[in-house]
Amino acid sequence: MSKYQSFAALHVPGDPVILFNVWDAGSARVAERAGAKAIGTGSASVSTAHGYDDAEALPLDLALANSRRTVAAVALPVSVDFEGGYAVDPDAVAANVEKLVATGAIGCNFEDQIVATNGTPARTIHSVTDQSARIAAIRWTVGPDFFLNARTDIFLIAKGDTHDEAMADEAIARGKAYADAGASGFFVPGLADLALLERVAKAVPLPVNFMAFPGAPDAKAVAETGVARISHGPFPHMAALKAFEDAARAAFGG
């Protein structure tokens, strides 16, 4: 079984694969040693670790080099958080993902949030038609096996108390369109309402990915909604930095 196949097989609704997101080769080795079944990077963590802001401020060449080093460091399949693909045009995005495939990554997250020209999140998302075209171009370019985890930021850019069934239905429509365009999975970061999460997981014909965060429902409750993947985003790196800062303050007598 190839790494592509073994990674895809880990996505079981109700028994989700856990990705405790890493940021470099060293943290990937720690996750592997701790019992990870697969490795997933987090874009914010990778960017911060290299001294850059998130939202594609990390240069593409550095993102690709980090992927290559991470893949080489472990025996597990590695999926890379590739944000919006470092381009808007479908063909340009597909060409960039092809470069990512060449690093040995077996999959990536690909988000529908628009990255503004100044490198900051625009807090708006591509239309379903435009994002579907981008997904289709990637799939045509990289072939059928690459795990393209299509991420919608509908919930992430909206306050939690505004999440409702209408928003879930909008996400479902996107999930179905992204599936038709060739996506392998559907990522809904920011959604923590278990009833809405279950609604999405049941309706979208793709493995659904939940992002854990401090204060979110626990993994058991999330699994019961039918989610097939739980990732931890930037929070492992944030915890590591906090531990480092606390130790540094103690060493400096703070």
Side-chain angles (χ1 to χ4, degrees), residues 125-246:
I125 57 181
H126 291 283
S127 70
V128 175
T129 299
D130 288 348
Q131 187 68 358
S132 295
R134 284 150 50 87
I135 290 169
I138 294 170
R139 178 58 68 208
W140 186 88
T141 300
V142 303
D145 294 332
F146 187 79
F147 198 100
L148 183 55
N149 198 35
R151 168 179 143 175
T152 185
D153 282 1
I154 288 174
F155 301 103
L156 194 63
I157 65 177
K159 293 182 178 180
D161 59 7
T162 67
H163 296 176
D164 57 18
E165 291 188 358
M167 197 175 292
D169 288 343
E170 182 182 353
I172 289 167
R174 283 183 176 266
K176 290 179 177 179
Y178 297 170
D180 289 343
S184 312
F186 189 52
F187 188 15
V188 287
L191 177 57
D193 183 302
L194 294 179
L196 296 180
L197 184 62
E198 184 173 11
R199 184 186 184 101
V200 172
K202 286 183 175 180
V204 174
L206 293 171
V208 171
N209 184 177
F210 172 83
M211 185 172 74
F213 59 89
D218 63 31
K220 182 177 183 297
V222 169
E224 288 173 353
T225 68
V227 159
R229 172 167 161 179
I230 298 175
S231 55
H232 286 253
F235 301 104
H237 186 241
M238 292 169 65
L241 286 183
K242 180 63 167 60
F244 179 88
E245 181 178 357
D246 289 347

Side-chain angles (χ1 to χ4, degrees), residues 87-114:
V88 174
D89 175 76
D91 289 340
V93 169
N96 287 340
V97 176
E98 190 171 30
K99 293 175 183 176
L100 180 65
V101 174
T103 70
I106 52 75
C108 76
N109 293 343
F110 178 59
E111 67 193 54
D112 57 13
Q113 186 170 175
I114 295 170

